[in-house]
Amino acid sequence: ALDPTRKWPHLSWMAPKNRRVLAGAVAWLFALAIAASLPRYGKSERRVSMSLRTQGASTRAAAGRVASATSLLALHRKGTRMTSAQDKFAMRSTMNPSMPSGPPPVELAPCPYTDWGAKDIDIDQVQKDSTALPEFPLEISAKSLGLSSAEEKNYIMENKASILENLQKHGAVVLRDFDLTKTPAGFRDMWENGLKLSPCQDPLQSVAARQTVSKSDGVFEAVNKPSLNRYFVGMHNEMVGTRTPRKAAFVCFKPAEEGGEFLVLNGQQMLRDLKPEFLKRIYSKDMRYAVAQFPMGFLQDKPEFLQNLLKPVIKSVLDLAIGQKVDFYTESVWDTTTNNGDLVLQVRAAPNPPVLRHPQTNEPVWFANIHSHSAKLRDMRAQIYSGGDEGRDKTTGSSKINLTDVFYGDGTAISEEDLKHVAEVTMKNAKFLKLNQGDVVLVDNYKTQHGRNVFEGTRKNAVTWFE
């Protein structure tokens, strides 16, 4: 029999004082593991630039190329820094004539900050406005215009002003039947040399790295993952934290065999159709998004004393880690209401208004991603469009934690009745656009929300964002 008076050294770590130390150590290690798994803000997708190293003895020996390179370096020594991808591309092109002679890699400026403006909108006055809204979206067909492939680029260049004017007026312009935009290089040629738009970084990069179709052309994937084909992308303005691109160009390089329509929604029409009492309430209270959540269900089975030890440590370390990785205010909140009763640590952004004025036209617009971000509406769509199974169990990386929700600005829940009302008005006004190869949808990101239908097969749509 065991001697009850004997001390067992190998069990000394079970003493209460040591259990607290052990629990704290486990919590720190766990929280640090979470922090390490987060995408890092500031290390954005590298701008596509070319190395300055020479390409071999034969290249270095070419006198003409060396002379050209020397002149570039002379400018550098005089204080003209070669920091842009174009400069480095020019340098490498000079030193390596076998390099493809295409356009230099695109420079992506930082995504602009959101222009919230003053909170001075009279909701009653907005809903009384009976002025007819412009056609939405406006469509321009190369085939209807009788344009040949050789004439398409000239048409866009010559009509740049009217196309951009119509984009601001209508909120969305669809370019159909253009051969020019069937490839990433041609798509870039359209917006860069035709419309003279200035591209910017993907706003999503502060929380996740979006895949690219062509890094050198600044063309990003637009939710084509086979694992998310049954996931209905709800209607939203592209906005992450404090950053919002002014415009976007979505292009179809390959349509899905079935479904996969691109959706657009007129934000001005939404303001007219939402119930006045709901619109006034949410405008007065503001709203805030939960931008990510970390499953912590394993804590629920632990003794209360251990939960009380672990929770503050995990929360503190996670707050610190996220603060280092994103450029906007966040707050982590323990929650059991959005994940079937399981405990999660939810990351919420700062409150913001659901209605704002368009930066150029001053028109009030609906700027609330309730339809896309609400956990309840997401679950409802899953039942409607994918039989309750969106395939998220097959996703990896940031898709596992970037589960969103939406609340009033004070953190209280938006009622299920109001959420259903938003969904009803949204789907009543959403336009489903079946795009073919080369079709482009230009979107005013403040005026128009976008989304995507479920699909079968292979879909290759892409997007470039603009300042």
Side-chain angles (χ1 to χ4, degrees), residues 93 96-100:
S93 300
N96 183 10
S98 64
M99 185 176 169

Side-chain angles (χ1 to χ4, degrees), residues 322-399:
I322 291 176
Q324 296 295 317
K325 294 175 183 291
V326 301
D327 70 337
F328 55 92
Y329 170 83
T330 61
E331 176 190 15
S332 60
V333 178
W334 293 103
D335 184 78
T336 57
T337 62
T338 60
N339 198 37
N340 298 318
D342 291 338
L343 182 68
V344 297
L345 189 53
Q346 199 172 66
V347 182
R348 299 183 182 180
N352 54 60
V355 182
L356 49 74
R357 293 189 181 277
H358 190 280
Q360 277 80 44
T361 67
N362 208 40
E363 301 165 299
V365 291
W366 175 248
F367 196 78
N369 294 342
I370 294 176
H371 189 254
S372 63
H373 282 49
S374 166
K376 287 183 180 178
L377 293 185
R378 187 167 57 243
D379 290 344
M380 290 178 189
R381 287 196 299 273
Q383 295 297 327
I384 296 172
Y385 293 98
S386 50
D389 179 15
E390 294 179 320
R392 278 191 169 268
D393 57 322
K394 300 177 184 177
T395 61
T396 58
S398 60
S399 296

Side-chain angles (χ1 to χ4, degrees), residues 57-355:
S58 60
T59 303
R60 289 193 298 271
R65 295 194 295 276
V66 171
S68 298
T70 301
S71 65
L72 286 173
L73 288 171
L75 288 174
H76 177 59
R77 292 191 187 101
K78 290 179 181 179
T80 305
R81 297 184 62 193
M82 291 186 294
T83 57
S84 70
Q86 285 90 342
D87 289 336
K88 296 176 183 178
F89 181 89
M91 179 67 173
R92 186 175 175 190
S93 300
T94 300
M95 300 300 291
N96 183 10
S98 64
M99 185 176 169
S101 58
V106 67
E107 281 282 351
L108 298 179
C111 185
Y113 286 107
T114 309
D115 192 341
W116 296 110
K119 192 173 178 180
D120 60 354
I121 297 171
D122 185 334
I123 298 299
D124 286 326
Q125 190 62 40
V126 170
Q127 294 205 305
K128 288 177 183 176
D129 188 356
S130 59
T131 307
L133 294 174
E135 176 185 356
F136 180 85
L138 179 68
E139 298 209 2
I140 300 173
S141 167
K143 185 182 296 184
S144 298
L145 293 170
L147 299 175
S148 67
S149 298
E151 296 172 322
E152 291 176 356
K153 182 177 176 180
N154 282 337
Y155 170 82
I156 292 173
M157 293 175 67
E158 292 169 1
N159 293 274
K160 174 182 85 72
S162 65
I163 292 173
L164 295 180
E165 182 181 323
N166 279 321
L167 175 58
Q168 184 170 286
K169 176 182 177 182
H170 295 264
V173 174
V174 185
L175 303 177
R176 290 196 181 274
D177 311 313
F178 283 78
D179 290 328
L180 173 65
T181 48
K182 289 183 176 180
T183 65
F187 173 60
R188 172 184 173 179
D189 197 16
M190 178 275 295
W191 59 254
E192 183 176 51
N193 300 313
L195 295 178
K196 303 291 184 183
L197 294 173
S198 300
C200 67
Q201 294 170 357
D202 180 13
L204 191 62
Q205 74 175 26
S206 65
V207 292
R210 195 194 301 260
Q211 292 182 327
T212 57
V213 173
S214 174
K215 280 189 175 184
S216 61
D217 295 314
V219 183
F220 296 91
E221 287 267 7
V223 198
N224 301 310
K225 285 183 180 180
S227 60
L228 292 177
N229 70 319
R230 297 195 302 276
Y231 176 67
F232 186 105
V233 180
M235 305 307 292
H236 63 285
N237 306 91
E238 201 67 27
M239 185 272 290
V240 177
T242 58
R243 296 184 180 271
T244 301
R246 294 285 179 92
K247 302 178 182 69
F250 293 86
V251 60
C252 175
F253 293 130
K254 181 192 177 300
E257 280 72 11
E258 182 180 346
E261 292 90 349
F262 183 73
L263 281 65
V264 290
L265 174 69
N266 189 328
Q268 290 179 286
Q269 189 65 58
M270 282 292 293
L271 288 185
R272 296 187 179 192
D273 292 353
L274 288 168
K275 292 178 180 177
E277 58 272 20
F278 165 72
L279 195 55
K280 289 179 184 177
R281 181 166 59 252
I282 196 167
Y283 185 63
S284 65
K285 297 180 70 171
D286 283 342
M287 54 179 289
R288 68 186 310 188
Y289 302 109
V291 296
Q293 63 183 35
F294 297 86
M296 299 288 173
F298 70 93
L299 284 176
Q300 289 174 292
D301 297 330
K302 301 296 181 289
E304 186 177 351
F305 86 91
L306 191 57
Q307 290 190 40
N308 293 337
L309 284 173
L310 292 176
K311 279 185 174 182
V313 177
I314 293 174
K315 183 180 184 302
S316 297
V317 175
L318 187 63
D319 284 342
L320 179 63
I322 291 176
Q324 296 295 317
K325 294 175 183 291
V326 301
D327 70 337
F328 55 92
Y329 170 83
T330 61
E331 176 190 15
S332 60
V333 178
W334 293 103
D335 184 78
T336 57
T337 62
T338 60
N339 198 37
N340 298 318
D342 291 338
L343 182 68
V344 297
L345 189 53
Q346 199 172 66
V347 182
R348 299 183 182 180
N352 54 60
V355 182

